[in-house]
Amino acid sequence: GAVVSQHPSRVICKSGTSVKIECRSLDFQATTMFWYRQFPKQSLMLMATSNEGSKATYEQGVEKDKFLINHASLTLSTLTVTSAHPEDSSFYICSASRIIPRAYYGYTFGSGTRLTVV
Amino acid sequence: AQTVTQSQPEMSVQEAETVTLSCTYDTSESNYYLFWYKQPPSRQMILVIRQEAYKQQNATENRFSVNFQKAAKSFSLKISDSQLGDTAMYFCAFMKTRDDKIIFGKGTRLHILP
């Protein structure tokens, strides 16, 4: 089955530093990956859509300069939280879709990254 | 814009009982996909079941089945013979055929009681 690996699962960083989160599709190619943010006991909020070889598309209200997304290959997308602040602390989840047919397979999600900024 | 509404924030049922989770959505699209995702305490999102809007037949996956009412824009999930492992947050989700984005409802927290 389709597997998406997300790393790290937990990270604690100091305020003002940057942290990178990786999302890898292990056994399939993903032209599109998605990054979500989830606050405690809330739903997933789509932050951006990551397309291989092109710039990410950010949702309204998401700071593209703070949340840098790179999708350099068909199996890897990265989210870098720059100059992190305590309010950036959250659970971040990535997901990936197979090239075709994406809706049939749905989307495979990574196991998430809990970011704590101190 | 598409919206997904889950009106039950939290539910509890006894093990082995049947439970139905409600979901309504709003869209002007005629072709789309609907999903139910499960997020257990591990927080790993797991696809439970999918439904294609152009198919009238309700999708089933073992103990999980849906009641898809396209005209009413309703997409409920029925879990039969509920098990302790079904305890999780359940999200109803919508995706346009011509789009990549999945729109999630706010979720229903389901507790299966021993």
Side-chain angles (χ1 to χ4, degrees):
Chain A
V3 178
V4 172
S5 172
Q6 188 172 341
H7 180 79
S9 58
R10 291 175 178 266
V11 58
I12 301 173
C13 70
K14 291 185 177 181
S15 186
T17 63
S18 296
V19 60
K20 180 184 286 187
I21 302 170
E22 291 189 348
C23 180
R24 292 180 184 273
S25 56
L26 297 185
D27 53 359
F28 67 100
Q29 293 182 328
T31 54
T32 305
M33 291 186 177
F34 303 88
W35 288 95
Y36 295 86
R37 183 172 180 175
Q38 186 177 30
F39 291 103
K41 297 187 178 181
Q42 293 190 26
S43 188
L44 280 71
M45 180 192 77
L46 180 64
M47 299 175 64
T49 302
S50 168
N51 295 295
E52 186 267 338
S54 63
K55 290 184 178 181
T57 302
Y58 291 82
E59 294 300 302
Q60 191 173 10
V62 177
E63 298 177 62
K64 60 180 67 177
D65 293 331
K66 165 167 277 297
F67 299 101
L68 300 180
I69 291 172
N70 182 274
H71 194 155
S73 75
L74 286 172
T75 59
L76 174 63
S77 176
T78 60
L79 167 67
T80 301
V81 183
T82 64
S83 186
H85 291 282
E87 56 264 33
D88 298 325
S89 298
S90 192
F91 192 70
Y92 294 87
I93 307 175
C94 71
S95 73
S97 66
R98 295 187 184 189
I99 295 175
I100 294 173
R102 56 180 177 271
Y104 179 81
Y105 289 104
Y107 290 79
T108 304
F109 286 80
S111 54
T113 297
R114 180 175 298 284
L115 170 63
T116 303
V117 184
V118 298
Chain B
Q2 282 67 228
T3 59
V4 179
T5 302
Q6 294 180 249
S7 59
Q8 304 150 312
E10 197 159 0
M11 299 180 71
S12 295
V13 296
Q14 295 292 137
E15 190 177 6
E17 290 185 349
T18 295
V19 60
T20 299
L21 280 60
S22 301
C23 173
T24 59
Y25 58 94
D26 188 27
T27 184
S28 57
E29 301 285 321
S30 57
N31 293 319
Y32 48 86
Y33 298 91
L34 295 164
F35 307 92
W36 278 97
Y37 279 91
K38 167 184 176 180
Q39 188 180 42
S42 68
R43 303 194 77 170
Q44 173 72 58
M45 294 288 285
I46 301 166
L47 176 65
V48 175
I49 199 164
R50 70 176 68 82
Q51 175 79 41
E52 293 149 58
Y54 65 87
K55 288 188 176 180
Q56 293 187 340
Q57 186 173 5
N58 290 323
T60 62
E61 287 288 342
N62 301 315
R63 298 183 294 108
F64 299 88
S65 61
V66 297
N67 183 2
F68 173 48
Q69 302 290 328
K70 190 173 183 179
K73 296 180 181 175
S74 171
F75 183 61
S76 61
L77 174 70
K78 184 172 80 171
I79 305 174
S80 303
D81 186 26
S82 57
Q83 301 175 358
L84 296 178
D86 295 333
T87 292
M89 192 76 163
Y90 286 81
F91 293 100
C92 179
F94 171 97
M95 186 179 81
K96 290 190 291 186
T97 305
R98 295 175 287 108
D99 201 354
D100 286 328
K101 300 179 190 179
I102 290 183
I103 299 169
F104 289 93
K106 291 185 181 296
T108 295
R109 187 168 300 278
L110 177 64
H111 302 274
I112 307 300
L113 307 173

